[in-house]
Amino acid sequence: MIDLSAKKKFLSWLIQCVTLKRRESYWILNYLLNHEAVLNRVVFVQGAIYTPRGLMITDQEQDGIGLEMMVNKHLITEPEDIFLNIRKERKSILYLEIMFEEMLSTNYYLSVIEENPYQPLDEEFTQTFELSFADFFEEDAKAFKINQLVEAINQALEAGDKESFLKLTTEYKALKSENG
């Protein structure tokens, strides 16, 4: 859970430094800033549209209408209805997504963003990551085996063990040709 002071710092900075698409967004953010009990129940996420109760606010540079809320898969676009929902359901968690230019390089934003438990995983990314991860460990295991063989070959040379040397050298060459 993110500290209330970090949320306040972020919202204060956002209100002063970012030009939001809808002026009503400022009203809502100021309401949250001035009502700690409500702000304590705000979770800053990406993909708020996937949550049971998510509010999306954007700056001038982002696509979309700039202010919308999704409540149990029902879209609300009227600012008055959004504000009413926030006040009426003030004891419920509100997932808030704020999209603005260079958000991922803004420390205030990065200090409040949390993982969205409702956002579906990107299956293609997950599969690619798992394959890359498996390839990494396979290559690492081969490199380890090659290093072990080099050590064993050196020991066989030092001991004058021709039979072990030939066997280990053959294994080493096979593994190296496999690696390319």
Side-chain angles (χ1 to χ4, degrees):
M1 184 160 169
I2 303 298
D3 183 52
L4 183 64
S5 64
K7 292 178 182 183
K8 285 183 156 199
K9 284 178 187 174
F10 169 63
L11 288 181
S12 296
W13 173 85
L14 185 76
I15 289 167
Q16 290 181 4
C17 297
V18 176
T19 305
L20 300 174
K21 193 171 277 191
R22 303 274 307 261
R23 72 175 186 271
E24 295 91 345
S25 299
Y26 293 104
W27 300 342
I28 290 171
L29 294 177
N30 274 309
Y31 175 81
L32 294 175
L33 190 58
N34 293 310
H35 292 83
E36 291 181 358
V38 179
L39 186 55
N40 264 329
R41 290 180 178 80
V42 171
V43 179
F44 293 91
V45 297
Q46 292 181 336
I49 194 166
Y50 300 110
T51 66
R53 187 166 171 257
L55 176 62
M56 287 79 60
I57 295 175
T58 62
D59 73 355
Q60 299 272 340
E61 305 301 316
Q62 307 298 314
D63 292 334
I65 61 173
L67 178 64
E68 54 192 312
M69 185 174 202
M70 190 69 83
V71 178
N72 297 321
K73 299 184 181 183
H74 175 73
L75 181 64
I76 302 170
T77 57
E78 289 299 319
E80 295 82 11
D81 293 337
I82 292 171
F83 185 70
L84 182 64
N85 180 283
I86 291 170
R87 289 188 63 201
K88 182 180 170 190
E89 301 293 328
R90 65 183 167 271
K91 292 186 179 178
S92 300
I93 293 176
L94 173 64
Y95 293 92
L96 178 54
E97 177 176 17
I98 301 178
M99 295 187 296
F100 57 95
E101 194 171 339
E102 297 184 28
M103 64 188 188
L104 295 177
S105 62
T106 304
N107 287 336
Y108 289 116
Y109 174 77
L110 296 175
S111 71
V112 297
I113 194 76
E114 296 183 59
E115 184 177 342
N116 183 345
Y118 297 97
Q119 189 167 11
L121 294 175
D122 182 342
E123 291 298 324
E124 184 177 327
F125 172 78
T126 302
Q127 287 175 348
T128 303
F129 177 76
E130 287 173 354
L131 288 174
S132 297
F133 198 64
D135 289 345
F136 169 77
F137 278 111
E138 186 178 318
E139 291 299 317
D140 192 49
K142 282 181 184 177
F144 181 74
K145 179 67 176 168
I146 287 171
N147 286 338
Q148 280 185 320
L149 285 170
V150 168
E151 281 185 39
I153 289 170
N154 288 339
Q155 288 174 355
L157 276 173
E158 288 173 9
D161 185 353
K162 186 177 179 180
E163 186 178 320
S164 293
F165 172 78
L166 292 173
K167 179 183 168 209
L168 292 168
T169 305
T170 304
E171 192 176 338
Y172 173 82
K173 287 178 181 177
L175 196 56
K176 280 297 264 189
S177 68
E178 208 177 281
N179 261 1

